Amino acid sequence: AQKVTQAQTEISVVEKEDVTLDCVYETRDTTYYLFWYKQPPSGELVFLIRRNSFDEQNEISGRYSWNFQKSTSSFNFTITASQVVDSAVYFCALGGYNTDKLIFGTGTRLQVFP
Amino acid sequence: NAGVMQNPRHLVRRRGQEARLRCSPMKGHSHVYWYRQLPEEGLKFMVYLQKENIIDESGMPKERFSAEFPKEGPSILRIQQVVRGDSAAYFCASSPLGGFQETQYFGPGTRLLVL
């Protein structure tokens, strides 16, 4: 069975703090993809990153970075020097081999206060 | 380059009415997916379609729900005889090719409220 767990339901930080959102996944596939999406208060879903299971290199994009560790089945997302505009619900998702659907976690609501 | 478009953005129906949700994929995308997001929950897969074909409808409720993606025009998710439990946000996503390796780009969603 495939599953994505985002244990942190809600996180509150003050602007400029660093924050890490956890994502743990379960799959029997050896080939799979992991995704992060952002859902701001306006409600749309914004694609942030895709990572395949053979690429464990960490990725950095501006203030965003992702840490993929197959040994712990985790794909964590860190926002450095958070800003109020980062306030949103963040979803981690898994795409498995031989399936076209994404399995989403329940999301982590991040609130960044000024 | 327009993204995935969904309309209406908000839809209010009374119990027993029909709801029709439309999705136009990104230009060049021929694969469409529908997901449902219940309040305070993550997205759950409903159905995957290509032009004129339903590829995977394993997440669709067996009754009252149907989806199509005709040769011309948008994909339609149809809910007949809506009930209060159908109130949710319905998201459409598209990708240029099918397969788990493709990124799915999402539309803004349709918020359905059943009174």
Side-chain angles (χ1 to χ4, degrees):
Chain A
Q2 298 186 319
K3 186 179 178 183
V4 175
T5 301
Q6 294 180 257
Q8 304 152 306
T9 306
E10 189 162 339
I11 301 175
S12 296
V13 298
V14 178
E15 245 187 337
K16 298 184 184 176
E17 283 186 35
D18 298 348
V19 58
T20 295
L21 310 181
D22 297 333
C23 172
V24 174
Y25 61 92
E26 294 176 32
T27 180
R28 292 180 184 164
D29 295 331
T30 54
T31 305
Y32 51 89
Y33 278 77
L34 294 161
F35 302 80
W36 276 94
Y37 289 87
K38 173 183 179 180
Q39 187 175 42
S42 49
E44 72 273 24
L45 271 170
V46 178
F47 166 72
L48 294 178
I49 190 172
R50 179 184 75 179
R51 171 66 72 214
N52 79 57
S53 53
F54 296 110
D55 182 2
E56 286 194 72
Q57 267 196 323
N58 290 335
E59 176 141 350
I60 297 175
S61 175
R63 295 183 299 106
Y64 295 171
S65 62
W66 289 270
N67 183 290
F68 176 30
Q69 294 204 348
K70 284 179 82 169
S71 60
T72 56
S73 296
S74 65
F75 186 43
N76 296 338
F77 172 31
T78 297
I79 302 175
T80 303
S82 58
Q83 300 176 1
V84 173
V85 293
D86 296 327
S87 296
V89 180
Y90 291 86
F91 290 99
C92 179
L94 168 68
Y97 187 68
N98 274 334
T99 179
D100 295 291
K101 57 189 171 191
L102 292 177
I103 307 297
F104 280 83
T106 50
T108 296
R109 181 179 301 277
L110 173 65
Q111 293 202 68
V112 182
F113 293 99
Chain B
N1 187 16
V4 178
M5 297 173 67
Q6 290 187 250
N7 65 81
R9 295 290 303 273
H10 299 274
L11 183 61
V12 180
R13 285 286 178 265
R14 296 192 180 280
R15 280 178 296 171
Q17 291 184 320
E18 178 180 288
R20 279 184 178 240
L21 288 61
R22 286 177 290 277
C23 168
S24 296
M26 286 178 73
K27 188 176 181 181
H29 289 194
S30 58
H31 298 253
V32 165
Y33 314 79
W34 286 93
Y35 292 80
R36 176 165 66 174
Q37 183 181 29
L38 293 171
E40 305 301 320
E41 292 188 16
L43 281 74
K44 296 284 196 306
F45 169 80
M46 298 181 75
V47 62
Y48 162 43
L49 311 102
Q50 286 178 260
K51 286 282 187 181
E52 300 184 280
N53 284 306
I54 296 176
I55 307 302
D56 180 356
E57 56 181 348
S58 58
M60 285 273 273
K62 295 287 182 261
E63 297 177 351
R64 303 186 298 108
F65 285 73
S66 63
E68 63 176 7
F69 189 16
K71 189 175 179 181
E72 302 290 337
S75 175
I76 306 284
L77 179 68
R78 183 182 176 206
I79 311 172
Q80 295 178 286
Q81 299 176 318
V82 296
V83 301
R84 289 221 172 108
D86 297 332
S87 295
Y90 292 83
F91 287 92
C92 166
S94 73
S95 66
L97 300 171
F100 72 104
Q101 72 278 9
E102 290 290 319
T103 297
Q104 295 179 20
Y105 295 93
F106 285 80
T110 293
R111 271 85 186 158
L112 172 65
L113 176 63
V114 180
L115 300 176

